[in-house]
Amino acid sequence: MSNFKASDGCEIFYDVKGTGEPLVFVHGWSANSDIFAHQVEHFSKSYRVVVYDLRGHGRSDRRSEITERNMTMERNAEDLKELLEHLNIGKAHVCGWSMGTSILLCFIKLFKTSKLLSAAFIDMTPRLLNDESWDMGDFDALGNLEFAQLIATDWETASSEALPELFARDRNPNDENVIKVRDMMKNNIPHVMSSMWMAMALGDYRDVLPAIDVPAFLPYSNGGDMYNRKHGEYMHENIKNSTLVIFEGCGHSLFLEDPIKFNAEYENFLNQ
């Protein structure tokens, strides 16, 4: 476990396990890298697995002088690039979940795919906001502003409302994984969560999808209230060299809900 200093002075926590081709996991909004514990244990037997905490999250820099600026998708994409450079990684398999997918798509928009061996996008839409041209997001503009305000003014309620959306509809609220994610979410700074939520809402990566020219893995849920099969099919239709796997009965945290299937499917993809 180590830290590296990003070019703007932000201290980023990361951990590396195993040897082989580099495999980097990028977590989502309000979580931290511990959420990939099952994947680190499994893939570090064959890969050099890298996990890290996004700025303002987990064990990464939470100082106000850092988190009150540069909380953007572009800065997070730069953090990923600088982490790869810090670890002397020329090319890596990179897997993003939820906002981690947005960061990876922004990374591709900024830096193309020259640093990628493959890309994995776990259960995310390329555009969060709905409008006349898009109906596969989470909120319309007003609903998004209302939720962003709730995040900033009452994080306890906002996180409690968001938590069930991360799992299958029938998930027991006392399930150990639900409790694990709940505890991760509680330990967050409201203004960081609000800033990164708005950064997600401003993103539109539909035009990035056809430019992805490395193999892409698309694990999507079909048992929760956030995303479903149609989101995965849209991504599959717009990313030319992609493999879509639907996780029936799972929600947004499918790699946590069914780690055995996720790890097996992802490993099969990586071995192609």
Side-chain angles (χ1 to χ4, degrees):
M1 296 184 180
S2 303
N3 285 357
F4 88 96
K5 184 174 287 189
S7 57
D8 70 341
C10 181
E11 295 280 350
I12 304 290
F13 168 88
Y14 70 92
D15 196 18
V16 182
K17 283 188 167 54
T19 59
E21 287 187 331
L23 172 56
V24 182
F25 288 93
V26 188
H27 69 78
W29 179 78
S30 79
N32 63 55
S33 58
D34 289 343
I35 204 162
F36 292 121
H38 295 299
Q39 286 66 52
V40 172
E41 179 182 5
H42 179 85
F43 287 102
S44 62
K45 297 170 186 174
S46 305
Y47 293 86
R48 182 187 179 194
V49 176
V50 179
V51 293
Y52 69 105
D53 290 350
L54 303 176
R55 57 177 52 223
H57 291 69
R59 289 145 290 192
S60 285
D61 215 328
R62 297 157 66 97
R63 292 174 296 159
S64 60
E65 58 263 38
I66 293 294
T67 60
E68 289 177 0
R69 59 187 174 90
N70 287 348
M71 298 304 296
T72 66
M73 212 57 67
E74 290 78 12
R75 181 61 248 190
N76 275 271
E78 289 181 30
D79 289 345
L80 174 57
K81 177 177 177 286
E82 291 177 10
L83 176 60
L84 295 177
E85 291 169 349
H86 174 76
L87 294 172
N88 296 313
I89 294 174
K91 289 191 174 187
H93 303 283
V94 181
C95 176
W97 166 59
S98 194
M99 189 175 77
T101 280
S102 300
I103 292 168
L104 181 51
L105 289 170
C106 186
F107 178 93
I108 295 170
K109 184 173 186 175
L110 292 177
F111 309 116
K112 311 304 180 188
T113 58
S114 62
K115 291 185 175 293
L116 300 179
L117 293 169
S118 70
F121 306 108
I122 305 176
D123 206 58
M124 186 56 173
T125 175
R127 178 168 168 78
L128 200 71
L129 284 186
N130 291 321
D131 58 22
E132 63 278 359
S133 69
W134 183 249
D135 65 356
M136 293 170 63
D138 294 315
F139 293 97
D140 60 19
L142 177 60
N144 180 69
L145 284 174
E146 290 172 341
F147 187 60
Q149 181 186 45
L150 184 63
I151 292 168
T153 59
D154 187 354
W155 172 240
E156 182 177 358
T157 297
S159 59
S160 296
E161 288 185 4
L163 180 62
E165 301 290 312
L166 301 180
F167 294 94
R169 296 183 194 95
D170 59 354
R171 199 72 174 184
N172 186 331
N174 295 316
D175 179 279
E176 63 178 349
N177 286 324
V178 176
I179 293 171
K180 176 179 180 177
V181 175
R182 182 198 66 194
D183 291 343
M184 282 184 194
M185 295 180 75
K186 280 168 44 177
N187 186 34
N188 275 301
I189 303 168
H191 80 260
V192 171
M193 297 299 100
S194 180
S195 294
M196 289 314 303
W197 183 268
M198 294 305 292
M200 263 198 300
L202 288 169
D204 184 352
Y205 302 105
R206 288 174 290 179
D207 62 344
V208 177
L209 305 183
I212 297 172
D213 57 3
V214 294
F217 180 55
L218 306 173
Y220 273 75
S221 63
N222 202 39
D225 291 322
M226 190 169 287
Y227 304 116
N228 55 47
R229 174 187 294 271
K230 71 175 184 178
H231 295 87
E233 290 170 349
Y234 177 89
M235 296 285 281
H236 184 47
E237 289 167 5
N238 286 277
I239 302 176
K240 53 194 169 193
N241 186 12
S242 60
T243 300
L244 173 63
V245 179
I246 302 298
F247 285 68
E248 298 289 350
C250 285
H252 190 47
S253 304
L254 56 91
F255 63 96
L256 188 61
E257 295 173 85
D258 194 349
I260 293 175
K261 177 178 178 178
F262 176 86
N263 293 347
E265 295 284 2
Y266 194 23
E267 188 166 39
N268 287 340
F269 166 83
L270 291 170
N271 288 336
Q272 289 177 1

PDB file of all heavy atoms in Angstrom, residues 3 12 25 46 88 106 122 125 142 167 173 175 180 187 191 227 242 247 264:
ATOM      1  N   ASN A   3       1.259   5.693  -1.503  1.00  0.00           N
ATOM      2  CA  ASN A   3       0.670   6.919  -2.041  1.00  0.00           C
ATOM      3  C   ASN A   3       1.579   7.464  -3.129  1.00  0.00           C
ATOM      4  O   ASN A   3       2.789   7.235  -3.102  1.00  0.00           O
ATOM      5  CB  ASN A   3       0.533   7.999  -0.966  1.00  0.00           C
ATOM      6  CG  ASN A   3      -0.601   7.735   0.000  1.00  0.00           C
ATOM      7  OD1 ASN A   3      -1.336   6.776  -0.147  1.00  0.00           O
ATOM      8  ND2 ASN A   3      -0.725   8.570   0.999  1.00  0.00           N
ATOM      9  N   ILE A  12      -2.593  10.366  -3.762  1.00  0.00           N
ATOM     10  CA  ILE A  12      -3.482   9.289  -4.190  1.00  0.00           C
ATOM     11  C   ILE A  12      -3.017   7.961  -3.576  1.00  0.00           C
ATOM     12  O   ILE A  12      -1.865   7.554  -3.766  1.00  0.00           O
ATOM     13  CB  ILE A  12      -3.504   9.164  -5.725  1.00  0.00           C
ATOM     14  CG1 ILE A  12      -3.904  10.485  -6.384  1.00  0.00           C
ATOM     15  CG2 ILE A  12      -4.419   8.017  -6.160  1.00  0.00           C
ATOM     16  CD1 ILE A  12      -5.338  10.875  -6.200  1.00  0.00           C
ATOM     17  N   PHE A  25      -8.306  -1.487 -11.563  1.00  0.00           N
ATOM     18  CA  PHE A  25      -9.728  -1.331 -11.257  1.00  0.00           C
ATOM     19  C   PHE A  25      -9.986   0.091 -10.749  1.00  0.00           C
ATOM     20  O   PHE A  25      -9.268   0.588  -9.887  1.00  0.00           O
ATOM     21  CB  PHE A  25     -10.167  -2.333 -10.191  1.00  0.00           C
ATOM     22  CG  PHE A  25     -10.248  -3.750 -10.687  1.00  0.00           C
ATOM     23  CD1 PHE A  25      -9.164  -4.606 -10.547  1.00  0.00           C
ATOM     24  CD2 PHE A  25     -11.394  -4.227 -11.297  1.00  0.00           C
ATOM     25  CE1 PHE A  25      -9.223  -5.918 -10.991  1.00  0.00           C
ATOM     26  CE2 PHE A  25     -11.472  -5.539 -11.753  1.00  0.00           C
ATOM     27  CZ  PHE A  25     -10.383  -6.385 -11.602  1.00  0.00           C
ATOM     28  N   SER A  46      -2.774 -14.070 -11.356  1.00  0.00           N
ATOM     29  CA  SER A  46      -2.315 -14.112 -12.747  1.00  0.00           C
ATOM     30  C   SER A  46      -1.936 -12.750 -13.310  1.00  0.00           C
ATOM     31  O   SER A  46      -1.303 -12.682 -14.371  1.00  0.00           O
ATOM     32  CB  SER A  46      -3.418 -14.707 -13.646  1.00  0.00           C
ATOM     33  OG  SER A  46      -3.832 -15.964 -13.182  1.00  0.00           O
ATOM     34  N   ASN A  88       5.179   2.992 -13.963  1.00  0.00           N
ATOM     35  CA  ASN A  88       5.903   2.576 -15.180  1.00  0.00           C
ATOM     36  C   ASN A  88       5.116   1.544 -15.988  1.00  0.00           C
ATOM     37  O   ASN A  88       5.675   0.578 -16.512  1.00  0.00           O
ATOM     38  CB  ASN A  88       7.291   2.023 -14.820  1.00  0.00           C
ATOM     39  CG  ASN A  88       8.185   3.077 -14.209  1.00  0.00           C
ATOM     40  OD1 ASN A  88       8.294   4.188 -14.721  1.00  0.00           O
ATOM     41  ND2 ASN A  88       8.822   2.735 -13.088  1.00  0.00           N
ATOM     42  N   CYS A 106     -13.767   9.204 -20.062  1.00  0.00           N
ATOM     43  CA  CYS A 106     -13.127  10.515 -20.147  1.00  0.00           C
ATOM     44  C   CYS A 106     -11.639  10.354 -20.453  1.00  0.00           C
ATOM     45  O   CYS A 106     -11.075  11.124 -21.254  1.00  0.00           O
ATOM     46  CB  CYS A 106     -13.335  11.276 -18.841  1.00  0.00           C
ATOM     47  SG  CYS A 106     -12.735  12.981 -18.886  1.00  0.00           S
ATOM     48  N   ILE A 122     -18.339  -1.462 -16.310  1.00  0.00           N
ATOM     49  CA  ILE A 122     -19.319  -2.194 -15.509  1.00  0.00           C
ATOM     50  C   ILE A 122     -20.555  -1.338 -15.271  1.00  0.00           C
ATOM     51  O   ILE A 122     -20.516  -0.329 -14.560  1.00  0.00           O
ATOM     52  CB  ILE A 122     -18.733  -2.626 -14.151  1.00  0.00           C
ATOM     53  CG1 ILE A 122     -17.456  -3.441 -14.319  1.00  0.00           C
ATOM     54  CG2 ILE A 122     -19.765  -3.437 -13.363  1.00  0.00           C
ATOM     55  CD1 ILE A 122     -16.785  -3.810 -13.000  1.00  0.00           C
ATOM     56  N   THR A 125     -24.196   4.084 -17.708  1.00  0.00           N
ATOM     57  CA  THR A 125     -24.677   4.785 -18.888  1.00  0.00           C
ATOM     58  C   THR A 125     -23.621   5.781 -19.356  1.00  0.00           C
ATOM     59  O   THR A 125     -22.898   6.342 -18.525  1.00  0.00           O
ATOM     60  CB  THR A 125     -25.993   5.540 -18.574  1.00  0.00           C
ATOM     61  OG1 THR A 125     -26.384   6.312 -19.694  1.00  0.00           O
ATOM     62  CG2 THR A 125     -25.836   6.459 -17.373  1.00  0.00           C
ATOM     63  N   LEU A 142     -33.915  18.855 -13.649  1.00  0.00           N
ATOM     64  CA  LEU A 142     -34.436  19.294 -12.353  1.00  0.00           C
ATOM     65  C   LEU A 142     -34.197  18.231 -11.289  1.00  0.00           C
ATOM     66  O   LEU A 142     -33.745  18.539 -10.172  1.00  0.00           O
ATOM     67  CB  LEU A 142     -35.927  19.615 -12.452  1.00  0.00           C
ATOM     68  CG  LEU A 142     -36.604  20.022 -11.137  1.00  0.00           C
ATOM     69  CD1 LEU A 142     -35.939  21.268 -10.567  1.00  0.00           C
ATOM     70  CD2 LEU A 142     -38.096  20.253 -11.361  1.00  0.00           C
ATOM     71  N   PHE A 167     -27.978  -2.273  -5.554  1.00  0.00           N
ATOM     72  CA  PHE A 167     -28.120  -3.722  -5.451  1.00  0.00           C
ATOM     73  C   PHE A 167     -29.415  -4.196  -6.122  1.00  0.00           C
ATOM     74  O   PHE A 167     -30.243  -3.391  -6.526  1.00  0.00           O
ATOM     75  CB  PHE A 167     -28.120  -4.134  -3.973  1.00  0.00           C
ATOM     76  CG  PHE A 167     -26.809  -3.890  -3.285  1.00  0.00           C
ATOM     77  CD1 PHE A 167     -26.578  -2.712  -2.587  1.00  0.00           C
ATOM     78  CD2 PHE A 167     -25.783  -4.831  -3.354  1.00  0.00           C
ATOM     79  CE1 PHE A 167     -25.361  -2.474  -1.970  1.00  0.00           C
ATOM     80  CE2 PHE A 167     -24.566  -4.612  -2.741  1.00  0.00           C
ATOM     81  CZ  PHE A 167     -24.349  -3.434  -2.049  1.00  0.00           C
ATOM     82  N   PRO A 173     -31.413  -5.896   3.187  1.00  0.00           N
ATOM     83  CA  PRO A 173     -30.678  -4.713   3.661  1.00  0.00           C
ATOM     84  C   PRO A 173     -29.635  -5.037   4.719  1.00  0.00           C
ATOM     85  O   PRO A 173     -28.754  -4.218   4.994  1.00  0.00           O
ATOM     86  CB  PRO A 173     -31.777  -3.811   4.223  1.00  0.00           C
ATOM     87  CG  PRO A 173     -32.943  -4.717   4.476  1.00  0.00           C
ATOM     88  CD  PRO A 173     -32.861  -5.804   3.456  1.00  0.00           C
ATOM     89  N   ASP A 175     -27.647  -7.693   4.370  1.00  0.00           N
ATOM     90  CA  ASP A 175     -26.599  -8.443   3.691  1.00  0.00           C
ATOM     91  C   ASP A 175     -25.247  -7.792   3.976  1.00  0.00           C
ATOM     92  O   ASP A 175     -25.123  -6.568   4.026  1.00  0.00           O
ATOM     93  CB  ASP A 175     -26.899  -8.441   2.193  1.00  0.00           C
ATOM     94  CG  ASP A 175     -25.853  -9.185   1.380  1.00  0.00           C
ATOM     95  OD1 ASP A 175     -24.794  -8.581   1.093  1.00  0.00           O
ATOM     96  OD2 ASP A 175     -26.095 -10.337   1.042  1.00  0.00           O
ATOM     97  N   LYS A 180     -21.330  -3.290   3.994  1.00  0.00           N
ATOM     98  CA  LYS A 180     -19.984  -2.852   3.609  1.00  0.00           C
ATOM     99  C   LYS A 180     -20.051  -1.564   2.784  1.00  0.00           C
ATOM    100  O   LYS A 180     -19.312  -0.600   3.048  1.00  0.00           O
ATOM    101  CB  LYS A 180     -19.298  -3.952   2.808  1.00  0.00           C
ATOM    102  CG  LYS A 180     -17.920  -3.598   2.268  1.00  0.00           C
ATOM    103  CD  LYS A 180     -17.329  -4.778   1.502  1.00  0.00           C
ATOM    104  CE  LYS A 180     -15.946  -4.440   0.956  1.00  0.00           C
ATOM    105  NZ  LYS A 180     -15.338  -5.607   0.262  1.00  0.00           N
ATOM    106  N   ASN A 187     -18.698   7.329   5.142  1.00  0.00           N
ATOM    107  CA  ASN A 187     -17.410   7.959   5.421  1.00  0.00           C
ATOM    108  C   ASN A 187     -16.957   8.846   4.268  1.00  0.00           C
ATOM    109  O   ASN A 187     -15.857   8.720   3.740  1.00  0.00           O
ATOM    110  CB  ASN A 187     -16.362   6.869   5.699  1.00  0.00           C
ATOM    111  CG  ASN A 187     -15.026   7.440   6.131  1.00  0.00           C
ATOM    112  OD1 ASN A 187     -14.973   8.458   6.807  1.00  0.00           O
ATOM    113  ND2 ASN A 187     -13.950   6.799   5.714  1.00  0.00           N
ATOM    114  N   HIS A 191     -19.329  17.774   0.253  1.00  0.00           N
ATOM    115  CA  HIS A 191     -19.031  18.631  -0.892  1.00  0.00           C
ATOM    116  C   HIS A 191     -18.244  17.887  -1.969  1.00  0.00           C
ATOM    117  O   HIS A 191     -18.354  18.198  -3.155  1.00  0.00           O
ATOM    118  CB  HIS A 191     -18.311  19.917  -0.459  1.00  0.00           C
ATOM    119  CG  HIS A 191     -16.845  19.780  -0.206  1.00  0.00           C
ATOM    120  ND1 HIS A 191     -16.321  19.657   1.059  1.00  0.00           N
ATOM    121  CD2 HIS A 191     -15.780  19.761  -1.050  1.00  0.00           C
ATOM    122  CE1 HIS A 191     -15.007  19.578   0.986  1.00  0.00           C
ATOM    123  NE2 HIS A 191     -14.650  19.620  -0.271  1.00  0.00           N
ATOM    124  N   TYR A 227     -29.679   0.370 -13.752  1.00  0.00           N
ATOM    125  CA  TYR A 227     -29.437   0.068 -15.163  1.00  0.00           C
ATOM    126  C   TYR A 227     -29.904  -1.348 -15.452  1.00  0.00           C
ATOM    127  O   TYR A 227     -30.226  -2.111 -14.554  1.00  0.00           O
ATOM    128  CB  TYR A 227     -27.952   0.253 -15.515  1.00  0.00           C
ATOM    129  CG  TYR A 227     -27.456   1.635 -15.182  1.00  0.00           C
ATOM    130  CD1 TYR A 227     -26.472   1.837 -14.228  1.00  0.00           C
ATOM    131  CD2 TYR A 227     -28.019   2.759 -15.800  1.00  0.00           C
ATOM    132  CE1 TYR A 227     -26.037   3.117 -13.904  1.00  0.00           C
ATOM    133  CE2 TYR A 227     -27.601   4.039 -15.482  1.00  0.00           C
ATOM    134  CZ  TYR A 227     -26.617   4.212 -14.528  1.00  0.00           C
ATOM    135  OH  TYR A 227     -26.208   5.475 -14.206  1.00  0.00           O
ATOM    136  N   SER A 242     -16.681  -5.537 -28.720  1.00  0.00           N
ATOM    137  CA  SER A 242     -17.121  -5.634 -27.328  1.00  0.00           C
ATOM    138  C   SER A 242     -17.805  -6.959 -27.047  1.00  0.00           C
ATOM    139  O   SER A 242     -18.402  -7.579 -27.934  1.00  0.00           O
ATOM    140  CB  SER A 242     -18.067  -4.480 -26.986  1.00  0.00           C
ATOM    141  OG  SER A 242     -19.215  -4.488 -27.816  1.00  0.00           O
ATOM    142  N   PHE A 247     -26.018  -9.968 -16.263  1.00  0.00           N
ATOM    143  CA  PHE A 247     -26.089 -10.607 -14.948  1.00  0.00           C
ATOM    144  C   PHE A 247     -27.530 -10.541 -14.459  1.00  0.00           C
ATOM    145  O   PHE A 247     -27.939  -9.566 -13.822  1.00  0.00           O
ATOM    146  CB  PHE A 247     -25.143  -9.910 -13.981  1.00  0.00           C
ATOM    147  CG  PHE A 247     -23.685 -10.227 -14.203  1.00  0.00           C
ATOM    148  CD1 PHE A 247     -23.030  -9.788 -15.350  1.00  0.00           C
ATOM    149  CD2 PHE A 247     -22.972 -10.994 -13.288  1.00  0.00           C
ATOM    150  CE1 PHE A 247     -21.697 -10.082 -15.568  1.00  0.00           C
ATOM    151  CE2 PHE A 247     -21.641 -11.298 -13.497  1.00  0.00           C
ATOM    152  CZ  PHE A 247     -20.995 -10.849 -14.642  1.00  0.00           C
ATOM    153  N   ALA A 264     -15.129 -15.101 -13.331  1.00  0.00           N
ATOM    154  CA  ALA A 264     -14.995 -16.117 -14.386  1.00  0.00           C
ATOM    155  C   ALA A 264     -15.217 -15.501 -15.761  1.00  0.00           C
ATOM    156  O   ALA A 264     -14.454 -15.764 -16.710  1.00  0.00           O
ATOM    157  CB  ALA A 264     -15.975 -17.256 -14.144  1.00  0.00           C
TER     158      ALA A 264
END
